[in-house]
Amino acid sequence: MKKSVLLLCAALSLSACSLFPPPYKVPVTQGNLITKEQLSQLQIGMSESQVTYLLGNPMLRDTFKPNEWHYLYTTLYATPDTKKSDANDLVLIFSDGVLTEIKNN
């Protein structure tokens, strides 16, 4: 009787992780979170300081293209079965300190 109880406890403890649903994993977000409200306020003709005030500092300023600002935002959703990620890239192009083009990928 003791052996069967011990064997049963050992079997349940070794398979305990697979008996329960997987734990909830919080999505991991990185980068510049830009809301729809901020995007609606963004207008061509704004100065660099106005854009910085509205959206914050860009995640990436290209050395070879100093007039191109990249606002990157990624979210990683990790589940036991799959790993899914969403990536958003907002590119702002300036000419003489004035916003001339908006590319929202």
Side-chain angles (χ1 to χ4, degrees):
M1 176 74 177
K2 286 184 181 181
K3 284 185 180 181
S4 62
V5 170
L6 184 62
L7 203 65
L8 181 64
C9 288
L12 287 176
S13 66
L14 291 175
S15 66
C17 294
S18 64
L19 292 178
F20 300 106
Y24 174 74
K25 299 209 178 186
V26 178
V28 178
T29 56
Q30 294 179 332
N32 299 89
L33 176 61
I34 298 175
T35 63
K36 291 180 182 180
E37 295 169 355
Q38 290 173 319
L39 276 177
S40 67
Q41 293 176 2
L42 190 63
Q43 298 174 0
I44 296 206
M46 294 176 84
S47 68
E48 290 180 353
S49 61
Q50 289 174 324
V51 172
T52 303
Y53 179 76
L54 180 64
L55 302 178
N57 291 323
M59 181 65 80
L60 177 67
R61 287 190 188 183
D62 193 353
T63 306
F64 300 107
K65 298 177 185 176
N67 294 328
E68 194 170 296
W69 292 6
H70 291 263
Y71 288 87
L72 305 172
Y73 180 74
T74 59
T75 304
L76 175 67
Y77 303 98
T79 61
D81 299 335
T82 61
K83 289 186 179 177
K84 178 185 160 196
S85 65
D86 293 332
N88 298 319
D89 184 17
L90 175 67
V91 181
L92 303 178
I93 299 174
F94 293 89
S95 178
D96 296 326
V98 177
L99 182 62
T100 57
E101 190 175 346
I102 302 169
K103 296 179 183 177
N104 193 3
N105 300 332

